[in-house]
Amino acid sequence: MFGAGGGTSSYREVENADVILLWGSNAREAHPIFFHHVLKAVHRGAKLFVVDPRRTTSSQWADLWLGLDVGTDIALSNTVAREIIAAGLHHTEFIARGTCGFEEYRASVEEWTLERGEQVTGVPAALISELAHAWGHAKNAQMCWTLGITEHHNAVDNVLSLINLALLGGHVGRPNAGIQPLRGQNNVQGGGDMGAIPNKLTGFQDIEKDAAARARFEGVYGVPIRPRYGFTLTQMFEAMEHGVMKSVWVIGENPAQSEADGQRCRKLLTGLDHLVVSDIVMTATAELADVVFPASAAWCETEGTVTSSERRVQRVRKALDPPVGARDDIAIIAEMAKRLGFDWGDVGAEDLWEELRKLSPMHAGMSWKRLEELGGIPWPCPDESSPGETFLHARLWETDPARRGEPAPFTVLKHAGPVDPITADYPLLMTTGRRLDSYNTGVSTRAYSSPNRADHPLYLSPEDAARLNVSADERVRVSSRRGSIETEVAVDPGLRPGLAFMTLHAPDRADANVLTIDATDPKAGTAEFKATAIRVEKLGAVTAGGK
């Protein structure tokens, strides 16, 4: 955001906020460590607002839950903004100094009255007003979001709509105020930082626009760096479909069970000329592969680093030796390079980190020794005298234009609902999410029992269960425009009528991604996992034990 690919503040600063807004984030279950910091703020007296279609376990701690209709985030954001501006609660000094495009933005939200916002989003006007006034009056406010915002066909616009609200209140570039995109998995932040995104080199240096960065990489690697963006994951599958991409190496990922429209995904993977998988277990994707490289478990069998959502780089230390035949990812990749004619020698994690520091200015001050001594350092850390920055974008408050730099832009955005329409044939909207006891497609967690785990059935509202004449544990067929599955029903009073919920944790029993749509955001390439039109049909009661 504003030129940096990470959250603007630290976890500890959340504890000092007087207003916290979780938008599309069930942090209590999906990000429990971060949620402990939220709870410290709540116990200290901070107001917690939760915007989510479901009454989640996070919302149970909230002062106010705004249960919006799926896919109406921009409409709600515009309505909150309009009320803030109409009440004169926007931060005029910060807006004038550190932003641009405000007048166009103001005009664009003028039509979003409280009444219209209620009509489109399903959130009562009084609740929208209460959130707007709390946000506008807050001295220090923190906003957090996760996949409930980003797994939509207009994911980038959803994020920009929340950034607009942060700018309106001046809640960025200051201690204890900021915006936090909580990452969906461990070290997602670190993956992006290292350049595992198609348009950036390590350290978020633009591969097309930053000639100086390319020159640095060329000097170290001894090969030319083409100034051309690569494919997003969505574009990779499109390339497979069109025969442009014929060989794929999957490292620590299970797309056969994690991608939207799972049937299409598996068809494309099996149609490749060559599929290679590196993983610690035999996943559904690995079962499709021509070659499988047994890898070590990065969290306990390797040396390296991990970067959290607050941009803090920390050391990972080897605790166990991997099983015989398994290798560290570094060793696997280095051996592959050697077979292709590039002998890197004996490469270790510390060697790679020191190379990284030469290439990424925001990591330059993070020596291996300092990471060890300080227990982690947040980026940017430009030199070894720097402790790293706990919050970003203080420049936006500078009075000197030269020190302030480029302003943070407001963005004019239009509401666009889900791609998969509700009809008489598909009368329910299904959204997906996570449970505290499980992880992603269950590869790492399904082998272990949990007393907290239901077997990840289809969750229905009490009203919809009664209308369909189905009860808890009854087996049903769930169908979308892409496919059908059979699973059990659970009744969740946290769901509103018309909304169903599934996880992706148990694809062997209830493969939600057979149902989900792969409509994608054109800017980020993320699929719309959060909005799938479905119908539910009775199959009859199951036997004891849910089998």
Side-chain angles (χ1 to χ4, degrees), residues 249-252 276-283 286 289-298 301-302 321-333 335-336:
W249 186 358
V250 178
I251 302 177
V276 180
V277 171
S278 299
D279 218 309
I280 62 174
V281 295
M282 200 68 174
T283 65
D290 298 286
V291 175
V292 177
F293 294 142
S296 56
E301 296 173 348
T302 66
D321 289 328
V324 175
R327 299 195 202 182
D328 183 350
D329 286 320
I330 295 173
I332 294 172
I333 295 169
E335 180 65 22
M336 177 65 80

Side-chain angles (χ1 to χ4, degrees), residues 154-238:
N154 54 350
V156 172
D157 286 352
N158 281 345
V159 171
L160 291 172
S161 76
L162 302 190
I163 290 174
N164 284 337
L165 294 182
L167 296 179
L168 265 186
H171 298 309
V172 66
R174 297 187 290 109
N176 306 320
I179 43 184
Q180 279 279 6
L182 300 173
R183 302 311 192 184
Q185 301 179 44
N186 179 46
N187 207 29
V188 165
Q189 182 67 54
D193 296 352
M194 298 302 107
I197 45 182
N199 62 332
K200 302 289 185 180
L201 296 163
T202 307
F204 298 105
Q205 300 168 94
D206 194 286
I207 196 168
E208 282 191 353
K209 301 174 183 176
D210 195 336
R214 289 200 307 273
R216 279 197 303 274
F217 278 79
E218 289 171 348
V220 171
Y221 292 164
V223 295
I225 305 295
R226 292 181 295 178
R228 188 177 72 192
Y229 295 156
F231 290 155
T232 63
L233 182 58
T234 301
Q235 291 168 333
M236 290 173 69
F237 279 104
E238 290 172 354

Side-chain angles (χ1 to χ4, degrees), residues 39 73 270 274 298 332 448 486 511:
L39 289 179
D73 302 278
T270 54
H274 196 62
I332 294 172
Y448 307 96
E486 295 181 6
D511 194 350

Side-chain angles (χ1 to χ4, degrees), residues 241-258:
E241 195 164 41
H242 297 133
V244 175
M245 183 173 287
K246 300 181 180 180
S247 298
V248 172
W249 186 358
V250 178
I251 302 177
E253 186 75 11
N254 187 23
Q257 292 183 316
S258 64

